[in-house]
Amino acid sequence: MMPRQQLLRLRVVGRSTRATRRALSSTSGHEHNGAPAAPAETAPNSRWLSDMRNRLSTGIFKRAEEPKVVAQLKHHLSHLDQHWLTLSAGREGFLIEPQWRGLDKHDIAWGDMVSFTQNTATLDNDEWKADDSRKQDSMVSHVNNVMYNRFAESGRVNWMMNVAAHVAPENRKEFAELMSPRGIGLILASIRTDYKFPMTFPDQVTVLHKLVTKPDSTSDRVLMEAVAYSHKHKRPAARFFEDVAVYDYRAAKRAPLKPFMVEEMQVMYELQEQRRQQTEQKVQELLQSMEELEV
């Protein structure tokens, strides 16, 4: 567990230039409860990692007669395979250490899927074969869309509880109660889910959350982005954009975050920015090395 003092020392002074942004919710461009809908960072091309991997694999094949070059290319390829989550998530500012994961390699269950029969009448005669395997392929299965939002919901609660575990002991209980109706709490106001591809059993999913904007003393909402990573495909299966209201259950009305909550979330936001910069530098170094190898 990382002490709060260590978290504070990890603050960064500089700020990276913001990328082009997109709106968080389906009410993009409109006001929500009197405040403009906050934007989220545009993520890099979701296939950038697989494109690099394909580029390296092609280079290994083309340079087969150059052992030194092939060894370097294989080293880069192995690094991508081992650290794909660190690179993919870190480049977007997600903190990927196990203590920050809302769901960590959560097993997809058979019951998470929905199945339906493909209309074989639309297939050409050449496409349809009378063997058992072809008949089984007519049954199409994928993770039910509802499950993705359940993964995000569980991930958000677990993530906030993980953050609470790192705050000062005197504030830990109250911070953890943000996920309860006992005082100042968080209520999901809206969520937008962008489905990237259908996951199937068997697979594992890791869900990461991050703050989209840096809270301040007036913040009565917390804007988050989350991503669900498929370990089978090594890329995002879905993205979530969440608008979470801060609510005082005792007073039965909206309320701003308490000062110590703001401070903790500001530290978290700065750690995200630091992670984004560090990972981007690593990716650029890898790309430069590939260019030097003329891949």
Side-chain angles (χ1 to χ4, degrees):
M1 183 180 298
M2 187 181 297
R4 178 172 179 271
Q5 290 78 7
Q6 187 175 350
L7 278 175
L8 291 171
R9 287 198 297 271
L10 287 174
R11 290 185 177 186
V12 291
V13 176
R15 290 288 179 271
S16 60
T17 303
R18 300 296 187 267
T20 305
R21 295 170 176 263
R22 61 180 175 181
L24 261 177
S25 67
S26 57
T27 55
S28 170
H30 298 283
E31 292 189 351
H32 180 78
N33 292 336
E41 299 287 353
T42 295
N45 173 8
S46 62
R47 294 184 178 274
W48 71 268
L49 200 60
S50 60
D51 289 345
M52 286 181 65
R53 194 182 189 287
N54 292 337
R55 184 177 170 186
L56 288 167
S57 298
T58 301
I60 291 171
F61 176 77
K62 290 183 176 180
R63 309 290 289 276
E65 298 181 358
E66 302 175 68
K68 290 184 178 180
V69 174
V70 169
Q72 288 179 282
L73 295 177
K74 287 184 176 180
H75 173 76
H76 289 328
L77 187 58
S78 175
H79 182 79
L80 287 182
D81 287 341
Q82 292 178 24
H83 302 286
W84 66 271
L85 183 60
T86 300
L87 294 171
S88 182
R91 197 179 186 193
E92 297 182 43
F94 289 99
L95 302 178
I96 56 83
E97 289 76 14
Q99 66 265 31
W100 304 125
R101 300 182 186 184
L103 287 182
D104 187 9
K105 295 183 180 179
H106 174 78
D107 289 324
I108 297 296
W110 177 265
D112 292 338
M113 294 195 298
V114 60
S115 301
F116 58 93
T117 305
Q118 183 175 331
N119 183 6
T120 57
T122 63
L123 299 177
D124 295 335
N125 289 334
D126 292 338
E127 295 178 314
W128 175 253
K129 297 178 182 178
D131 61 289
D132 292 340
S133 62
R134 189 66 178 90
K135 292 177 181 178
Q136 291 174 0
D137 287 343
S138 68
M139 295 297 297
V140 181
S141 300
H142 60 81
V143 171
N144 192 317
N145 287 356
V146 174
M147 294 305 302
Y148 290 85
N149 283 352
R150 290 182 179 176
F151 296 153
E153 181 80 14
S154 297
R156 181 174 66 258
V157 173
N158 293 339
W159 178 69
M160 289 299 297
M161 297 301 290
N162 290 344
V163 174
H166 293 80
V167 307
E170 63 270 19
N171 295 324
R172 194 167 296 161
K173 181 176 182 293
E174 192 170 4
F175 197 99
E177 288 180 349
L178 278 171
M179 306 312 300
S180 74
R182 298 174 184 172
I184 299 296
L186 300 178
I187 300 176
L188 182 65
S190 67
I191 182 171
R192 192 189 80 200
T193 304
D194 290 352
Y195 300 98
K196 299 303 179 182
F197 73 89
M199 286 191 294
T200 58
F201 171 89
D203 200 349
Q204 292 179 316
V205 61
T206 288
V207 177
L208 303 174
H209 272 75
K210 70 177 181 180
L211 299 171
V212 172
T213 57
K214 187 176 183 179
D216 58 32
S217 59
T218 66
S219 296
D220 63 354
R221 62 206 298 240
V222 181
L223 302 176
M224 304 179 189
E225 181 177 353
V227 61
Y229 281 97
S230 161
H231 283 258
K232 181 193 294 185
H233 298 276
K234 294 183 171 61
R235 64 186 179 94
R239 292 184 180 277
F240 313 91
F241 304 93
E242 303 172 346
D243 184 352
V244 183
V246 183
Y247 189 77
D248 187 337
Y249 283 93
R250 294 190 181 95
K253 64 179 181 179
R254 290 280 287 268
L257 292 166
K258 292 190 174 182
F260 79 88
M261 297 174 179
V262 172
E263 181 180 356
E264 297 295 342
M265 290 186 184
Q266 287 178 342
V267 170
M268 178 65 64
Y269 184 85
E270 291 170 353
L271 286 174
Q272 293 174 181
E273 291 298 293
Q274 184 184 58
R275 178 58 52 81
R276 188 199 311 276
Q277 295 171 21
Q278 291 173 340
T279 308
E280 185 62 33
Q281 181 178 352
K282 292 179 181 178
V283 172
Q284 294 306 319
E285 289 172 354
L286 179 57
L287 286 170
Q288 182 179 352
S289 178
M290 291 169 61
E291 291 174 0
E292 291 172 354
L293 294 170
E294 297 180 352
V295 178

